Amino acid sequence: MPISQVPFAGISNPVDFRNIVINGDMQIAQRSTSVASITTGGYYTLDRFNLGINSLGTWTQSQSTDVPTGQGFATSLKMDCTTADASPSASDYIIISQKFEGQNLQYLKKGTANALPLTASFWVKSTKTGTFILELYDDDNARSISKSYTVSVSNTWEFKTVTFAGDTTGTITNDNGNGLELTFWLGAGSTFTSGTLATSWGSVVNANRAVGQVNIADSTSNDWLITGVQLETGEQASGFEFMPIDTNLSRCFRYYQKIIADAAYTAFGAGSIYGTNTLIVFLPYKQQMRSSPSLAKSGTIIIQQGATSPTTTSITGVNAGKSCLYAEFVASAAGLTQNSGAILQAGNDANAFLELSSEL
């Protein structure tokens, strides 16, 4: 039977991109490959994986080459505890999560009688053994479900699968907002551990979200690594869905884009001068972004107009369309010629960059 005639009756979403997780093989790290002294939440290294933390240790996060042997992975996400906290306060926590747009989740049929179960699979390696919690959080309806998995052997790659029942309550909004969140708990205080683990879908009760979770922040000897993260419909895990690097990168560009100087004096874009110290630039996106992005800069960036090259000091008038971002870069000194062309470029700084962010 030709492939085009193979029936898919009873199979949900039987196409490529069955993995809801983006960058689950940890190949894309636009921001950095290693960041130390982390005590607050945010995106630091691996694209689409967000760190949430509240007063629970100090960490180095990195893109590691420590991976399970023979599984096809080249990189992993590593959390290394550098300042321990063995006695968390009630509200302390540390989590790694990925958020998913609601419009990408409609085939899950959540909030209906036909809601589909989801299975998460991943490789994990941890110095700390014991019980860990994996959670699905429905942001639209403030509902959650948590399941436990066990790290059995210290410093050894182990493959885990966790299945969540379909939720017949709470429809996910069909928009570009956060519809669902997959959360790996790494440590939590009593605010999140003092109840009974919520192994069935229900309204969020903080005390029931991470019951039994070990604390990997209790020693500076502790590391936690993960790769091959997959979330798909059904009650069985399938093999990891590897993506070509260009496809993987393009999907990450929807949420974050870093425009890096290849060398000193690299040009970022061209525009026209408004007034005597402001350059108006249109920056085309590499990929249409999820929403109007924020724009930030780092390093020495200059406005080059003939022999005049003042350093930029601020960005104002940032507006975003579907295909490009309009921004005004203000120079440190006057002297530019109004209504003339100019180039926005790195100064004598090969590490300068611009970044666009529309993360969930």
Side-chain angles (χ1 to χ4, degrees):
M1 179 182 293
I3 292 176
S4 61
Q5 297 178 13
V6 174
F8 286 104
I11 301 177
S12 298
N13 202 34
V15 294
D16 291 338
F17 302 100
R18 69 180 181 275
N19 187 4
I20 298 172
V21 173
I22 296 174
N23 196 33
D25 58 357
M26 311 300 174
Q27 282 278 67
I28 309 300
Q30 292 187 77
R31 294 170 176 85
S32 179
T33 57
S34 184
V35 178
S37 303
I38 298 173
T39 58
T40 58
Y43 291 90
Y44 289 99
T45 59
L46 280 299
D47 279 55
R48 302 299 301 123
F49 286 90
N50 183 52
L51 172 67
I53 185 171
N54 184 52
S55 300
L56 193 52
T58 303
W59 301 84
T60 294
Q61 184 183 98
S62 61
Q63 182 186 44
S64 173
T65 56
D66 185 348
V67 293
T69 301
Q71 300 302 320
F73 301 105
T75 50
S76 63
L77 184 155
K78 180 178 181 179
M79 295 295 298
D80 176 21
C81 182
T82 56
T83 300
D85 183 352
S87 301
S89 298
S91 61
D92 291 355
Y93 64 86
I94 180 169
I95 58 175
I96 296 288
S97 63
Q98 186 168 141
K99 301 175 182 180
F100 313 112
E101 292 181 54
Q103 60 194 0
N104 290 333
L105 305 174
Q106 297 305 300
Y107 70 94
L108 302 183
K109 307 179 187 118
K110 190 177 181 299
T112 76
N114 298 318
L116 298 175
L118 287 168
T119 294
S121 55
F122 51 94
W123 287 88
V124 64
K125 178 180 179 179
S126 175
T127 309
K128 186 84 172 178
T129 60
T131 299
F132 287 74
I133 303 301
L134 185 62
E135 178 189 43
L136 282 179
Y137 190 103
D138 170 4
D139 188 71
D140 286 330
N141 302 286
R143 293 173 61 78
S144 68
I145 182 173
S146 297
K147 292 295 184 72
S148 64
Y149 66 93
T150 302
V151 173
S152 302
V153 184
S154 178
N155 289 323
T156 302
W157 282 105
E158 299 176 3
F159 181 69
K160 306 296 178 182
T161 64
V162 177
T163 297
F164 301 93
D167 187 13
T168 58
T169 300
T171 302
I172 296 174
T173 304
N174 184 33
D175 63 8
N176 65 347
N178 179 18
L180 200 64
E181 184 172 348
L182 180 69
T183 298
F184 293 86
W185 288 82
L186 305 183
S190 60
T191 296
F192 307 99
T193 61
S194 58
T196 301
L197 191 66
T199 56
S200 299
W201 280 103
S203 298
V204 173
V205 177
N206 276 336
N208 300 338
R209 294 176 65 187
V211 180
Q213 172 65 46
V214 300
N215 176 23
I216 71 162
D218 66 2
S219 171
T220 55
S221 299
N222 289 345
D223 298 328
W224 182 86
L225 299 90
I226 193 167
T227 194
V229 182
Q230 184 152 287
L231 181 67
E232 60 190 310
T233 56
E235 297 180 337
Q236 299 292 326
S238 62
F240 184 80
E241 184 182 34
F242 287 96
M243 292 283 175
I245 192 71
D246 55 343
T247 302
N248 206 5
L249 185 58
S250 180
R251 299 183 78 195
C252 293
F253 281 160
R254 179 168 173 79
Y255 305 93
Y256 178 84
Q257 298 179 23
K258 188 173 184 179
I259 308 169
I260 307 170
D262 294 323
Y265 305 109
T266 297
F268 295 116
S272 60
I273 299 300
Y274 173 77
T276 60
N277 69 337
T278 302
L279 173 65
I280 300 173
V281 177
F282 288 89
L283 297 170
Y285 304 144
K286 301 174 184 179
Q287 162 75 26
Q288 183 174 318
M289 304 196 75
R290 180 190 66 86
S291 63
S292 297
S294 61
L295 172 64
K297 65 182 181 68
S298 178
T300 302
I301 296 176
I302 63 175
I303 296 173
Q304 184 71 50
Q305 186 185 43
T308 303
S309 56
T311 302
T312 63
T313 55
S314 63
I315 307 170
T316 60
V318 176
N319 293 289
K322 289 186 176 180
S323 60
C324 68
L325 180 137
Y326 157 93
E328 298 177 1
F329 290 82
V330 179
S332 59
L336 299 172
T337 303
Q338 186 170 2
N339 299 326
S340 297
I343 296 173
L344 183 74
Q345 65 181 54
N348 188 16
D349 183 356
N351 296 313
F353 62 86
L354 300 173
E355 58 181 354
L356 303 170
S357 179
S358 62
E359 296 284 6
L360 285 161

